[in-house]
Amino acid sequence: MFIIYEVLVIITLNGTGTVADYICHYIVNIAYFYIHGYYVYPLVARQKKPARYFLTLLLIGVEFVIYQSFMRLTAYVLYQTNGGKFEYANIYYLKYTWRYVYFLFISTAVYYIRTALKHETKIVSLENERINNLLDQQLLENKLIRSENAWRQSQLNPHFLFNTLNLIYNKVTSGAPNAGDSIIILSEIMRFSITPLSSGGKIKLEDEIEHIRLFIKMNQLRFDDRLALTFEVTGEEMDLLINPLLLITLVENVFKYGDLYNEAAPASIIINITGSILSIKTHNYIKKSKVTSHGIGLSNVTDRLKTYYPDQFEFFFKEHDSVFDLSLTINLTANDHMLHN
């Protein structure tokens, strides 16, 4: 469109010219426009002061000489092609100087416009990224609030519940000791449900592990200690914190789908703590009469791990030859700041 506009102006002022004349001169102008505005001047503009000013003046001088040389060569070729005698008059020098300055300003202006648009786009991108980060943080906080609300919902009337359990214990302990033990264990499990959360929505790792011990003990009492299951904990729990009810979900998975009556191949739950690194491994044969699994429990664990321990965990499980193996490793301290800020 720019070329059409210029050609029409030239024809109006000076009359028609040859097609070769237009093509050859515009090839030089177009080449200069893009080389200056897109490649050469951006290198100079990125320099610091005062080197930028010196290089700009040097660039203008060098480009002017090269531009004049190409224009003079173009005019010479055109005249020789048409069989005329070439004489480089001052009018050509002035004309080409004007065209050089003309395209110099246009090309430089386009460079600054492009740079401004890039900066604006970058600012918009950074703002969008900031907004997305705020939304992610808000989502995380909402999940934490929902988790705390769900936790507190389990704390309704705890004193009434414990008083009732103590009353039942006193009634049955003399006639059925195992039933009394079950009530005490149930009482401890319920007491765990009202353990206060930290400001980051977490509990002590030792409390979570004790909850697992009580859960296993309760089920052993339920099935008269006939469950083929080993539970081991190694390492120091120290003052580590963990998202509540995370490990117990994996243990419940063993009880729900595992064959716990196979004494030749007992199920196992092994927890190891090394520094701030927690690992839990479960191994069990799968019940022959499978309970239909929708994977909701393990999927929920995966979602919670991604939310509370992003890039700080390894979680995988597989089923092979009627055996189910699960492994989870978490760095418990790497992302605590996310929940305390």
Side-chain angles (χ1 to χ4, degrees), residues 3 6 10 18-32 67 70-79 86 88 92 95-96 99 103:
I3 291 174
E6 280 214 328
I10 293 171
T18 64
V19 175
D21 187 28
Y22 288 122
I23 292 176
C24 292
H25 284 90
Y26 271 116
I27 287 176
V28 176
N29 288 325
I30 291 171
Y32 171 66
Y67 183 85
F70 272 97
M71 280 301 196
R72 184 167 182 170
L73 178 61
T74 300
Y76 174 79
V77 171
L78 289 172
Y79 272 88
F86 177 70
Y88 195 75
Y92 290 104
K95 174 183 176 182
Y96 294 149
R99 296 294 280 176
F103 284 107

Side-chain angles (χ1 to χ4, degrees), residues 104-127:
L104 170 68
F105 277 102
I106 293 178
S107 182
T108 304
V110 169
Y111 163 76
Y112 281 110
I113 292 172
R114 289 174 57 244
T115 302
L117 291 175
K118 284 182 180 179
H119 287 167
E120 184 177 351
T121 302
K122 186 175 182 180
I123 291 172
V124 171
S125 177
L126 290 174
E127 181 65 17

Side-chain angles (χ1 to χ4, degrees), residues 83-211:
K85 184 179 179 181
F86 177 70
E87 293 182 1
Y88 195 75
N90 289 335
I91 187 66
Y92 290 104
Y93 180 82
L94 294 175
K95 174 183 176 182
Y96 294 149
T97 299
W98 157 246
R99 296 294 280 176
Y100 166 75
V101 174
Y102 183 60
F103 284 107
L104 170 68
F105 277 102
I106 293 178
S107 182
T108 304
V110 169
Y111 163 76
Y112 281 110
I113 292 172
R114 289 174 57 244
T115 302
L117 291 175
K118 284 182 180 179
H119 287 167
E120 184 177 351
T121 302
K122 186 175 182 180
I123 291 172
V124 171
S125 177
L126 290 174
E127 181 65 17
N128 289 336
E129 184 178 351
R130 187 183 70 84
I131 293 173
N132 289 333
N133 289 336
L134 289 175
L135 291 175
D136 290 341
Q137 184 68 23
Q138 185 63 46
L139 180 62
L140 182 62
E141 291 175 358
N142 290 341
K143 286 184 178 180
L144 179 58
I145 291 172
R146 288 198 297 269
S147 177
E148 291 177 346
N149 289 339
W151 184 269
R152 290 191 172 96
Q153 284 177 358
S154 65
Q155 302 178 15
L156 297 177
N157 270 331
H159 296 295
F160 172 77
L161 174 63
F162 291 135
N163 290 337
T164 302
L165 289 174
N166 286 332
L167 175 63
I168 297 173
Y169 173 76
N170 292 328
K171 293 289 184 181
V172 304
T173 186
S174 57
N178 285 343
D181 291 341
S182 298
I183 293 172
I184 291 298
I185 294 172
L186 176 60
S187 176
E188 290 301 317
I189 291 175
M190 297 305 297
R191 196 180 304 278
F192 170 81
S193 70
I194 63 169
T195 301
L197 298 175
S198 71
S199 60
K202 296 183 178 182
I203 61 171
K204 292 182 179 180
L205 176 60
E206 59 182 336
D207 291 339
E208 178 81 354
I209 293 177
E210 182 60 25
H211 184 209

Side-chain angles (χ1 to χ4, degrees), residues 177-186 189 213-227 255:
N178 285 343
D181 291 341
S182 298
I183 293 172
I184 291 298
I185 294 172
L186 176 60
I189 291 175
R213 285 197 181 97
L214 293 172
F215 179 82
I216 294 174
K217 190 173 182 180
M218 172 64 82
N219 279 278
Q220 286 286 18
L221 286 173
R222 178 185 172 194
F223 294 100
D224 299 322
D225 290 322
R226 290 183 293 110
L227 299 181
F255 279 86

Side-chain angles (χ1 to χ4, degrees), residues 268-318:
S268 64
I269 302 170
I270 300 174
I271 296 176
N272 176 261
I273 304 105
T274 305
S276 64
I277 306 300
L278 165 73
S279 70
I280 177 171
K281 299 180 185 295
T282 69
H283 171 87
N284 61 269
Y285 277 83
I286 302 170
K287 292 178 181 178
K288 291 182 179 179
S289 55
K290 274 190 180 180
V291 179
T292 302
S293 170
H294 297 95
I296 296 175
L298 297 183
S299 175
N300 178 266
V301 169
T302 302
D303 290 341
R304 293 171 67 193
L305 288 169
K306 289 179 180 179
T307 299
Y308 294 101
Y309 303 98
D311 302 321
Q312 297 297 331
F313 73 91
E314 293 181 357
F315 183 45
F316 62 87
F317 47 87
K318 63 179 178 178

Side-chain angles (χ1 to χ4, degrees), residues 39-56:
Y39 299 101
V40 181
Y41 187 71
L43 297 177
V44 174
R46 284 195 287 266
Q47 303 301 316
K48 294 182 179 179
K49 302 175 184 177
R52 188 198 314 166
Y53 298 137
F54 172 76
L55 291 174
T56 300

